[in-house]
Amino acid sequence: MSKNKTELKKAVEIVQEITSKRKYHAYVLTGAGVSKASGIPTFRGEDGFWEVYDFDEVGTKAAWMRDPAKIWQLLHEGANIVLDAKPNPAHTAIAKLEERGIIQHTITQNIDSLHQKAGSKKVLELHGNLSRIVCIKCNKQYSLDDLPEELPPKCDCGGILRPDVVLFDETLPEKEIRHAFSVARKADLAIIVGTSAEVIPAASLPYLSKKSRAKIIIFNTEITDHKQIADVYIHGKCEKWLPIFTEEIIKEM
Ligand code: NAD
């Protein structure tokens, strides 16, 4: 039996044991890797976003304040990759895990809405959402379809509009992060998919769950720092292995 098949068997047994309890808590945490098969580049790695764009020029609030028109220009060029993307089999498998009551929450660092498009209902977005637009001055929300043509687009109040995503020099939305910490703290099971374990605080959630004695199952094409706390590490593409994992669990229910 291949290493991943052995690990998969172990993962299914862990999930069966946990879900056979009367009450349990389980969540999935996702990063950019879950959306790679949908055509959205990850941040790090060979063909990652930061290989193409300069972090300091587009990734910070300071950059936005410096030259918002330039960033809107880049967004016009690149945002459609995210906005037009379709969920892949990994997103569908995660939605199925929620639908069948195996997990209760999906916590994501992604800004692409693909979990919601796949049917996940309880999604906590830690880093915002690219399809929501807000005014930096009065917080009024705009739909992408109603954006004024001018660059940078401006609110009725004169403030500059920006996508509602968390930049690298900003803090995370308090309500979401608090909720995510509470989910992670009480979890019996955490399934971690396609995240590099490098972006804090999201990367700390699995450690918190482990401290509370949760079982940790990881799907990643690379070995990350989360390996040290993993009960099972499925080293491969999540769009291949998550659907197999989900079907195996459902079959045994
Ligand atoms: P990351 O780019 O740092 O890491 C991606 C991880 O996914 C890596 O560990 C890589 O090995 C793994 N991976 C790549 N392809 C995979 C596959 N097919 N199956 C399983 N694993 C795979 O991303 P991150 O950890 O999410 O953190 C960086 C930040 O990137 C987050 O803040 C997130 O908001 C942002 N981001 C989001 C999107 C998106 O919305 N789709 C895209 C790029 C970056």
Side-chain angles (χ1 to χ4, degrees):
M1 207 187 269
S2 77
K3 174 107 171 62
N4 268 350
K5 284 200 176 143
T6 313
E7 288 290 286
L8 196 79
K9 192 163 173 274
K10 228 161 88 185
V12 172
E13 283 165 6
I14 286 174
V15 175
Q16 278 169 342
E17 198 193 322
I18 291 171
T19 54
S20 67
K21 292 182 195 158
R22 201 172 55 84
K23 208 174 163 203
Y24 68 91
H25 297 283
Y27 72 97
V28 172
L29 169 69
T30 65
V34 76
S35 297
K36 195 165 176 203
S38 297
I40 305 175
T42 56
F43 262 8
R44 297 174 182 78
E46 239 177 276
D47 49 355
F49 190 80
W50 297 131
E51 297 294 309
V52 183
Y53 293 102
D54 182 349
F55 171 83
D56 283 329
E57 272 185 52
V58 294
T60 63
K61 184 161 188 197
W64 265 97
M65 302 313 281
R66 223 169 27 236
D67 196 350
K70 180 175 164 192
I71 299 184
W72 269 108
Q73 186 62 47
L74 287 172
L75 273 174
H76 274 297
E77 287 162 17
N80 285 345
I81 296 176
V82 176
L83 300 172
D84 296 342
K86 305 263 182 302
N88 68 59
H91 297 104
T92 309
I94 293 168
K96 218 179 233 181
L97 288 173
E98 182 187 324
E99 191 202 359
R100 300 301 294 255
I102 296 154
I103 59 152
Q104 290 88 33
H105 293 93
T106 301
I107 303 174
T108 188
Q109 299 165 84
N110 295 344
I111 55 171
D112 55 26
S113 311
L114 290 182
H115 288 301
Q116 293 91 331
K117 285 185 187 168
S120 290
K121 303 273 185 287
K122 286 202 180 157
V123 182
L124 290 173
E125 293 176 319
L126 298 185
H127 294 166
N129 191 304
L130 190 64
S131 62
R132 285 195 305 262
I133 305 295
V134 288
C135 170
I136 56 172
K137 216 161 138 193
C138 70
N139 274 331
K140 182 173 171 187
Q141 297 223 354
Y142 284 76
S143 139
L144 263 181
D145 302 330
D146 301 335
L147 272 186
E149 289 280 304
E150 60 177 330
L151 284 185
K154 292 211 181 98
C155 177
D156 302 335
C157 78
I160 290 167
L161 300 180
R162 58 167 275 185
D164 193 7
V165 299
V166 178
L167 299 167
F168 276 83
D169 49 356
E170 293 182 311
T171 52
L172 270 58
E174 204 180 313
K175 194 170 137 228
E176 275 76 9
I177 193 68
R178 234 192 254 179
H179 195 167
F181 271 108
S182 133
V183 167
R185 205 172 289 119
K186 65 181 180 203
D188 302 285
L189 171 68
I191 302 170
I192 316 299
V193 185
T195 177
S196 59
E198 287 187 29
V199 180
I200 295 287
S204 64
L205 295 171
Y207 294 104
L208 189 62
S209 302
K210 187 70 181 182
K211 223 171 131 195
S212 315
R213 298 168 188 264
K215 296 286 184 192
I216 312 286
I217 299 172
I218 299 188
F219 293 82
N220 202 305
T221 46
E222 305 288 335
I223 299 296
T224 71
D225 283 351
H226 286 148
K227 171 101 164 102
Q228 53 188 312
I229 54 162
D231 294 279
V232 175
Y233 204 103
I234 298 183
H235 188 188
K237 291 184 176 176
C238 58
E239 61 274 20
K240 172 180 174 186
W241 291 101
L242 252 175
I244 301 175
F245 166 73
T246 303
E247 288 312 318
E248 285 292 316
I249 295 168
I250 291 173
K251 204 169 76 190
E252 302 291 333
M253 281 174 91

